[in-house]
Amino acid sequence: MHTSSTRAVTTADSGRRGLGRTGAGAPAPGGTARRSGGRWRTPLLFLLPFGVLFIAMYLVPIVFAFVQSLFTLQRSGLGLEAPTLDFTPLANYTRLLGDTEFLASLGRVALFGLVQVPVMLGLALLLALLLDSRSARGKGFFRLAAFLPYAVPGVIAAVMWSFLYSPVTSPINTLLERVVGTGIPFFAPEIVLWAVANIVTWGWTGYNMLIIYSSLQTIPAETIEAARLDGAGPARIAWSIKIPMVRPALVLTAVFSIIGSAQLYNEPKVLQTISGGAISNTFTPLMAAQAQVTAQNYPYAAAQSVVLALLVGVLSFTFFKLTNRGER
Amino acid sequence: MTAPTLESATRLPRSDRPDASRPRRSNREANLASRLGVFALLGLSAFYFIMPIWWLVVASTKPAGHQFSEPGLWFDGFGLFENIALVFAESDGIFGRWMLNSVFYAGVSAVIGTLLSALAGYALAKYEFRGRGVVFGVILAAVLIPKVMFTLPLFLLFNQVGLLNNPLAVLLPSIVSPFGVYLARVFAAQSVPDELIEAGRIDGAGEFRIFFSIGVRIMSPALVTIFLFQFVEVWNNFLLPLMVLNDSALQPVTVGLVGWAGSNGQVPAGTVVVAALLSVVPLIIAFLGLQRFWRAGLTAGAVK
């Protein structure tokens, strides 16, 4: 399964293309009747509606933001005249490099990702292995229970958890106080990041678990049976056979979870109003950039957005390349 | 790496196939202790996942104003219907409007988006043309950079062209789904046979006619999956509508509800609790009712 899947990775494209060609021992589809011009025109027409909107809603805004980031807003000393835009290509980016709050927000989401992603994926993997084990009963129910949080929109989940965290209303703390004698101050400055992490973990563990679980399901029964006949116990089978075989699924979920951390916004934004100041306006990079937009500091907000998109892009492609190479 | 995993995701998970693929497990082999251990751990996880939603349901059924009464996780009196009426009466009934807005934004974007994705994905899978690799590379790149990263630049652009506070400012970006194109391409390549397309051509049908009468028909289960993922994505969207819509009557339920939750008690907390429950009910019903389609597109969804 491992090798075949990796082969599928690298040859997915060429394979399909090859199929198109061989399928056209008769002429290739699209190139049949109208060989001149028709080859191009039909796919172009098919792609056009999507392509136009894609360019308008993805490429144009980024280019526009980039251009805007090259200017700075000059407000006149007394604020009586309309502010003017000056072309100062590096000013915003220099400012950004010295913006301690923005840099701190980057550090915060990096820390968040370093801790939350392994915890969540470890949990997802453990649950997937338990579900896949021979001892599991009631699989349908547990699978559904884990997936249920995915049906709750991120911000609604955050609203819900804000009540569970609130010092005034928290049923969790009422319960803890009764059992352990003390509650958890969810909005204490050193805890609030992990309160946010819990909401994200709650929302996405089941989703990742199902991806890993469906990958576990593709392991051939004979492989596991052979290991069992060799005397391997369930833990040994999980460690030496199952986990290596679901590695592609683990890498996939890891990449997208890391990207998810970089765009952290919804949960902290919702908790902000009741956090008593523990969550600042610049808690995450996206919140920082949004704060600049709200302050109508558009060129600087544009610079932050461009840098963020670039960082996430580089992050994605690095992982994509690394994992692709590793597979080969 | 993404490519293969996505493709294997579009295959039916084995749990959907007859269980014959694995030899029947003997219950006796797994001893009672490990069965209990596994059950306890799974039970604990189920408690974690269900507890907040359970709390939401229980709190919503308590009489108005007593949403946070003890016991927190068990029923105490009944006022669900009264609570629902209160939610719909709050602020001149704006909540119903928000729900309809969400249905409108998510429904329209997902219908048009699925059609555009199907057209583009089908073309990428079924036609050979120069630049196909480049087009697909760009789309894959867009899949890898989350949409929310484009939101602030979109705001700046819409601000410039005067599209703020206009439903189009939410609809236009939401229609575009590179991930949908990706899925459609995979599905089309897998399920639409070249021979059928060829047969259609021999019968003299035009390319669009072939797409609508053969392609769409064969791809229709896959299109439902694409539709669902896009619908949920748009329904869950928060930052974009928050930025581009000021008029509360235009906002979707996510933005509206967060506004209520942050209103410092102007809207009673109990009402926010019940409204939160009401806003997830349609999605939970959709999940339970359409599980088959979710599972089919599940791994693929990881790309979002």
Side-chain angles (χ1 to χ4, degrees):
Chain A
M1 149 69 201
H2 193 219
T3 45
S4 77
S5 102
T6 51
R7 180 110 0 118
V9 182
T10 48
T11 57
D13 248 0
S14 51
R16 191 166 312 113
R17 214 165 284 150
L19 207 143
R21 257 173 224 146
T22 47
T32 39
R34 293 131 292 201
R35 191 156 278 282
S36 60
R39 250 182 119 74
W40 246 100
R41 203 180 309 129
T42 317
L44 189 70
L45 284 176
F46 272 84
L47 283 165
L48 200 63
F50 174 83
V52 168
L53 268 180
F54 177 79
I55 290 168
M57 296 296 135
Y58 272 79
L59 304 185
V60 173
I62 280 288
V63 170
F64 179 76
F66 177 69
V67 171
Q68 203 167 10
S69 75
L70 303 178
F71 292 82
T72 40
L73 212 52
Q74 295 297 334
R75 296 195 169 92
S76 70
L78 294 169
L80 295 176
E81 298 153 46
T84 54
L85 277 178
D86 290 354
F87 182 69
T88 47
L90 288 178
N92 285 312
Y93 293 96
T94 329
R95 177 178 167 190
L96 195 142
L97 285 176
D99 185 337
T100 46
E101 290 193 336
F102 187 71
L103 297 179
S105 74
L106 284 175
R108 199 172 291 121
V109 294
L111 174 67
F112 177 95
L114 278 176
V115 176
Q116 191 267 338
V117 173
V119 168
M120 173 177 70
L121 293 185
L123 199 61
L125 175 63
L126 175 71
L127 292 177
L129 286 170
L130 287 176
L131 263 189
D132 192 56
S133 79
R134 293 143 60 85
S135 307
R137 295 290 174 278
K139 292 181 188 201
F141 167 76
F142 288 119
R143 217 169 40 186
L144 197 64
F147 197 40
L148 204 56
Y150 182 69
V152 181
V155 287
I156 308 289
V159 168
M160 189 171 70
W161 277 99
S162 72
F163 289 118
L164 298 174
Y165 286 163
S166 154
V168 191
T169 59
S170 171
I172 301 177
N173 276 344
T174 334
L175 208 70
L176 282 178
E177 273 155 23
R178 204 166 297 159
V179 181
V180 211
T182 176
I184 303 169
F186 291 104
F187 293 118
E190 65 277 14
I191 293 183
V192 73
L193 184 64
W194 312 117
V196 170
N198 174 57
I199 303 179
V200 177
T201 306
W202 179 80
W204 291 92
T205 300
Y207 180 81
N208 288 310
M209 178 204 83
L210 285 188
I211 292 173
I212 299 168
Y213 179 70
S214 53
S215 176
L216 279 172
Q217 298 266 297
T218 60
I219 299 176
E222 304 78 54
T223 316
I224 292 169
E225 210 50 48
R228 191 166 293 138
L229 290 176
D230 286 347
R236 182 67 203 274
I237 293 178
W239 183 255
S240 305
I241 296 176
K242 289 182 176 176
I243 293 181
M245 282 187 136
V246 297
R247 207 187 128 231
L250 286 174
V251 171
L252 179 87
T253 50
V255 170
F256 288 107
S257 304
I258 291 167
I259 297 172
S261 313
Q263 50 169 323
L264 191 63
Y265 175 83
N266 288 350
E267 293 82 2
K269 185 73 188 173
V270 171
L271 291 187
Q272 190 186 13
T273 46
I274 60 160
S275 73
I279 296 180
S280 66
N281 242 346
T282 54
F283 195 72
T284 75
L286 212 52
M287 285 174 77
Q290 194 217 5
Q292 292 297 336
V293 171
T294 317
Q296 303 214 330
N297 207 341
Y298 295 149
Y300 189 47
Q304 292 192 338
S305 308
V306 169
V307 167
L308 264 184
L310 215 62
L311 276 179
V312 171
V314 168
L315 206 66
S316 298
F317 287 115
T318 312
F319 275 109
F320 193 68
K321 285 288 172 209
L322 275 182
T323 49
N324 253 353
R325 194 160 303 149
E327 297 291 310
R328 224 165 278 170
Chain B
M1 187 232 48
T2 320
T5 323
L6 288 181
E7 302 203 7
S8 61
T10 56
R11 270 187 276 132
L12 274 184
R14 204 176 54 202
S15 52
D16 281 0
R17 291 184 237 145
D19 231 5
S21 50
R22 238 183 236 192
R24 176 148 306 174
R25 293 162 167 186
S26 139
N27 289 348
R28 270 160 296 158
E29 271 182 63
N31 65 48
L32 189 69
S34 84
R35 225 188 295 169
L36 277 177
V38 168
F39 191 80
L41 284 173
L42 285 176
L44 206 63
S45 77
F47 174 78
Y48 172 59
F49 293 127
I50 294 178
M51 184 271 288
I53 297 175
W54 172 256
W55 173 80
L56 195 65
V57 172
V58 167
S60 300
T61 63
K62 290 177 179 172
H66 294 81
Q67 266 58 50
F68 306 106
S69 72
E70 289 290 306
L73 294 178
W74 198 248
F75 301 95
D76 181 24
F78 188 81
L80 178 62
F81 299 121
E82 186 196 347
N83 292 335
I84 293 176
L86 278 175
V87 169
F88 281 98
E90 178 68 42
S91 313
D92 304 322
I94 191 85
F95 183 78
R97 178 76 200 243
W98 289 337
M99 289 292 273
L100 290 179
N101 287 345
S102 279
V103 171
F104 173 76
Y105 292 132
V108 170
S109 310
V111 166
I112 302 176
T114 305
L115 178 67
L116 299 196
S117 297
L119 276 167
Y122 175 88
L124 287 170
K126 289 296 167 190
Y127 293 102
E128 299 233 12
F129 56 95
R130 212 152 14 118
R132 181 168 79 162
V134 176
V135 172
F136 190 62
V138 171
I139 288 171
L140 198 62
V143 172
L144 287 173
I145 304 179
K147 230 172 178 170
V148 76
M149 290 295 156
F150 296 89
T151 303
L152 294 181
L154 271 172
F155 168 84
L156 298 174
L157 181 71
F158 289 161
N159 181 43
Q160 188 75 24
V161 298
L163 209 61
L164 291 184
N165 225 4
N166 183 328
L168 282 178
V170 171
L171 284 176
L172 289 178
S174 303
I175 288 171
V176 187
S177 170
F179 176 60
V181 176
Y182 184 90
L183 273 187
R185 175 188 185 264
V186 171
F187 287 134
Q190 275 178 356
S191 62
V192 183
D194 290 336
E195 295 75 22
L196 266 183
I197 299 177
E198 211 46 52
R201 288 198 185 113
I202 290 165
D203 288 347
E207 298 296 320
F208 281 91
R209 173 91 192 276
I210 292 174
F211 168 75
F212 282 107
S213 61
I214 299 174
V216 168
R217 198 159 300 167
I218 296 178
M219 287 163 72
S220 58
L223 296 184
V224 174
T225 302
I226 296 175
F227 172 86
L228 277 174
F229 273 96
Q230 198 169 351
F231 186 91
V232 168
E233 194 195 319
V234 180
W235 184 285
N236 292 355
N237 205 345
F238 175 66
L239 184 56
L240 177 68
L242 177 73
M243 295 299 295
V244 300
L245 301 174
N246 276 324
D247 186 352
S248 149
L250 290 177
Q251 284 167 350
V253 70
T254 45
V255 177
L257 197 63
V258 169
W260 274 8
S263 71
N264 280 322
Q266 276 179 12
V267 176
T271 304
V272 179
V273 169
V274 182
L277 177 69
L278 291 179
S279 71
V280 297
V281 164
L283 286 181
I284 291 188
I285 290 174
F287 265 78
L288 297 180
L290 300 166
Q291 271 195 71
R292 192 164 69 88
F293 294 104
W294 287 114
R295 248 178 282 154
L298 181 72
T299 315
V303 170
K304 278 191 307 179

